[in-house]
Amino acid sequence: MIKNAGELSLKEWKNSFGNRSYTLTNLKDFPEQNPKLRLYAHVRVEPGEEVEYHVHHNECEYYYILSGKGLYRDNEREMTVSAGAVTMTPS
């Protein structure tokens, strides 16, 4: 099955202050989904926006940086990431 990006569900997330934080396109938005895959998405974070600190239990999280650069925080470590970087935060 193939879908165009415009056919996938798009969600705008807001930070705790009610401002737009980032947009997420659900890349697993198909009727026959693998129940073991909770989230596979394209996340767009514009300058000044952020993915707020959050915790995942019993799952890890990966980000592949397509363009630009930003600040990445993994627990207490903070580093700059840019296009081509892949991050992984274990559970």
Side-chain angles (χ1 to χ4, degrees):
M1 178 178 283
I2 298 173
K3 285 188 174 186
N4 290 320
E7 298 174 284
L8 300 171
S9 61
L10 179 70
K11 181 173 183 177
E12 204 173 83
W13 290 86
K14 302 211 180 275
N15 64 20
S16 57
F17 302 109
N19 301 319
R20 187 176 109 162
S21 186
Y22 60 92
T23 55
L24 182 145
T25 303
N26 182 1
L27 299 177
K28 68 176 199 82
D29 188 13
F30 289 89
E32 298 85 30
Q33 295 183 22
N34 181 340
K36 295 180 181 179
L37 179 63
R38 192 178 72 80
L39 179 66
Y40 178 59
H42 175 257
V43 178
R44 184 178 184 98
V45 183
E46 296 288 344
E49 297 176 345
E50 67 178 343
V51 177
E52 288 187 302
Y53 178 79
H54 58 282
V55 177
H56 291 269
H57 299 284
N58 301 317
E59 62 186 17
C60 56
E61 184 171 65
Y62 294 84
Y63 282 95
Y64 174 52
I65 312 303
L66 296 173
S67 64
K69 65 180 178 179
L71 191 60
Y72 176 77
R73 182 177 301 128
D74 182 3
N75 294 317
E76 299 302 315
R77 279 182 57 206
E78 216 171 71
M79 61 212 82
T80 300
V81 291
S82 58
V86 178
T87 68
M88 190 280 283
T89 305
S91 60

